[in-house]
Amino acid sequence: MFKSSKQRILILAPHTDDGELGCGGAINKFIEEGHEVYYAAFSACEISVPKHLPSNILIEEVKKATDPIYQKISKVLPEIEWSVHAPYIHRINQLKKEKNAIILAHNYQTPEIYHGIADVAADSLALAIEASKTEANIIVMAGVHFMAETSKLMSPEKKVLLPDMAAGCSLSSSITGKDVRLLKEKYPGVPVVSYVNTSADVKAETDICCTSANAVKIVNSLGVKKVIFLPDDYLAKYVASQTDVEIIAWKGICIVHDQFNEKEIHDIRKNNPGIKIIAHPECPPDVIKASDFAGSTGGMIKYVKDNQPKKVMMVTECSMSDNIQVENPNVDFIKPCNMCPHMKKITLPKILDCLENETGEIIMDKETIEKARISVEKMAAIGR
Ligand code: 13P
Ligand code: SF4
């Protein structure tokens, strides 16, 4: 697994009776291979409060507040990991109340965020709508940069925070506002439909936004023969397969969904008779064709909830299956593991830091907000 390149590795392990890390051999091996290794020892499965949290936090208090959450998710999260997360979860939940803050989390966040601290965990359409309705003073986006910007567009008067400004998106970074202006010059009069996975500059040049939950509906709603649809080439192909409207696409891809391939889907099906395979429309077209259903992350969750398949594979980011397993204990999940490196930049310590110090604020000029929010509001009015 670590053969080809040097890695930065964090080892969390219980300590032995004499206080040593209980996995010394593994550490030495990684160091010899030239990896950068960090490690921490824990009293097996016991909660301890990290040094930089307030010293008056009592372990008993943390346990009382967080044990009910852990009961829910123990199937998908080892107890030793929980002992690290619990103090952060407790402190973040305290701070949310003190500051009248809300945490909006995307479905790709890890279980400790999704189940531990999120006030709303959902797909990007629902998060955008939620941001427009909240009465909180502060919105913390446990997601990526374009999602935080979309929240700001929907609630410009609110303080919107992103725990790591480097949490981007390969689709969003594939196109700029200038690219859209050039496309509009090339195809005068053709309306621009942009996926929400775009920057505010792109949204400012857009007629109407969409997400994977409503892309087909939005394109059809325009009543035109041709649209510019950007930036996801695969989503554009998916929409083209569901409508008569001619689609002019852009060559953006999602680095996570692009990794799935048709052979993998056929192999899984062959080895798991009766399995249901459900895919996100950011996947390559042959993967979607080989699947039983395609939909947004919210649509995929609904499919599992409504159909309760015996066995399912969600062809999307890793954490979705773990998150959903909790509410669907009778469903057997075959878990693919393509991780979104951007979504995974968001961690509990970073969320705590940003909430405590109110760092990572999304700042946009007034003109961009005014222009860009029209395209998001038009989308929200059409809905799912
Ligand atoms: P959803 O809109 O389906 O939640 O997806 C957002 C996303 O970034 C998927 O990769
Ligand atoms: Fe962007 Fe893909 Fe990550 Fe979603 S999964 S945030 S589309 S890179």
Side-chain angles (χ1 to χ4, degrees):
M1 185 182 175
F2 298 117
K3 267 185 197 135
S4 55
S5 58
K6 306 277 176 252
Q7 304 277 331
R8 191 177 291 173
I9 300 168
L10 170 65
I11 298 183
L12 301 172
H15 63 58
T16 56
D17 288 346
D18 52 5
E20 293 296 314
L21 197 64
C23 63
I27 293 180
N28 292 340
K29 184 172 165 286
F30 289 140
I31 293 173
E32 274 163 27
E33 286 172 3
H35 303 295
E36 204 178 320
V37 179
Y38 299 84
Y39 50 89
F42 297 94
S43 210
C45 304
E46 299 242 319
I47 293 172
S48 60
V49 178
K51 283 194 192 74
H52 53 281
L53 293 190
S55 57
N56 61 354
I57 291 192
L58 299 173
I59 290 172
E60 274 321 302
E61 186 187 306
V62 173
K63 272 181 74 59
K64 195 169 159 222
T66 60
D67 274 358
I69 308 172
Y70 188 59
Q71 297 310 322
K72 239 176 91 185
I73 64 171
S74 58
K75 204 174 164 190
V76 295
L77 202 77
E79 210 176 336
I80 185 131
E81 269 190 51
W82 184 252
S83 64
V84 184
H85 298 317
Y88 288 99
I89 289 174
H90 179 52
R91 184 66 192 132
I92 291 167
N93 285 334
Q94 279 181 328
L95 268 178
K96 279 194 313 189
K97 280 195 201 126
E98 285 167 27
K99 296 197 169 206
N100 187 23
I102 184 176
I103 297 185
L104 303 182
H106 186 258
N107 289 323
Y108 292 163
Q109 292 297 301
T110 46
E112 68 276 9
I113 294 176
Y114 185 99
H115 292 286
I117 55 161
D119 295 286
V120 179
D123 67 7
S124 51
L125 177 61
L127 294 181
I129 293 169
E130 205 59 48
S132 70
K133 294 196 308 209
T134 181
E135 288 183 355
N137 296 336
I138 298 176
I139 299 174
V140 177
M141 175 52 69
V144 293
H145 193 270
F146 77 81
M147 293 175 177
E149 268 192 352
T150 306
S151 295
K152 183 72 183 171
L153 295 176
M154 296 305 263
S155 266
E157 73 292 352
K158 301 263 149 81
K159 191 176 251 190
V160 178
L161 307 176
L162 180 65
D164 187 330
M165 284 295 186
C169 169
S170 64
L171 285 169
S172 179
S173 60
S174 73
I175 190 160
T176 64
K178 188 172 170 214
D179 292 326
V180 186
R181 285 193 289 279
L182 290 171
L183 275 172
K184 290 201 284 194
E185 273 171 31
K186 194 169 165 194
Y187 302 102
V190 179
V192 176
V193 180
S194 293
Y195 199 24
V196 278
N197 299 40
T198 46
S199 65
D201 285 344
V202 167
K203 289 185 175 83
E205 299 294 336
T206 292
D207 292 289
I208 185 163
C209 280
C210 72
T211 75
S212 52
N214 59 12
V216 177
K217 191 173 175 188
I218 297 278
V219 166
N220 286 336
S221 76
L222 298 174
V224 294
K225 288 209 170 83
K226 201 191 276 188
V227 300
I228 298 169
F229 186 98
L230 48 91
D232 187 353
D233 193 28
Y234 293 153
L235 182 63
K237 287 194 166 75
Y238 174 72
V239 173
S241 75
Q242 309 285 313
T243 172
D244 292 331
V245 179
E246 187 189 333
I247 307 284
I248 299 162
W250 185 255
K251 287 283 174 208
I253 51 140
C254 161
I255 49 167
V256 178
H257 292 91
D258 187 44
Q259 288 175 46
F260 294 105
N261 64 68
E262 190 187 4
K263 181 177 177 311
E264 193 181 352
I265 305 298
H266 289 314
D267 288 349
I268 296 273
R269 214 186 267 292
K270 208 167 85 196
N271 297 329
N272 297 276
I275 192 170
K276 291 291 177 201
I277 299 183
I278 61 178
H280 195 277
E282 288 169 12
C283 290
D286 50 1
V287 168
I288 295 179
K289 214 166 148 217
S291 303
D292 297 295
F293 170 81
S296 72
T297 57
M300 295 169 87
I301 293 170
K302 186 170 177 334
Y303 179 96
V304 173
K305 205 172 145 209
D306 293 350
N307 295 286
Q308 292 291 298
K310 262 203 166 104
K311 212 181 236 192
V312 72
M313 176 162 105
M314 294 182 136
V315 190
T316 191
E317 212 266 356
C318 298
S319 291
M320 274 268 286
S321 304
D322 285 338
N323 291 335
I324 299 319
Q325 173 90 79
V326 171
E327 278 123 22
N328 297 279
N330 299 323
V331 178
D332 183 8
F333 288 82
I334 300 292
K335 297 177 182 170
C337 204
N338 288 344
M339 213 163 70
C340 174
H342 300 291
M343 289 281 179
K344 265 40 192 185
K345 284 200 163 73
I346 307 301
T347 61
L348 290 174
K350 287 185 197 169
I351 293 171
L352 176 60
D353 183 56
C354 119
L355 190 51
E356 202 153 42
N357 302 308
E358 300 186 19
T359 49
E361 185 172 359
I362 300 292
I363 308 278
M364 275 186 266
D365 63 81
K366 234 177 151 187
E367 201 189 323
T368 308
I369 292 183
E370 288 313 314
K371 275 182 86 180
R373 71 183 292 190
I374 299 171
S375 59
V376 186
E377 276 175 351
K378 277 195 206 159
M379 168 188 80
I382 291 180
R384 206 171 281 271

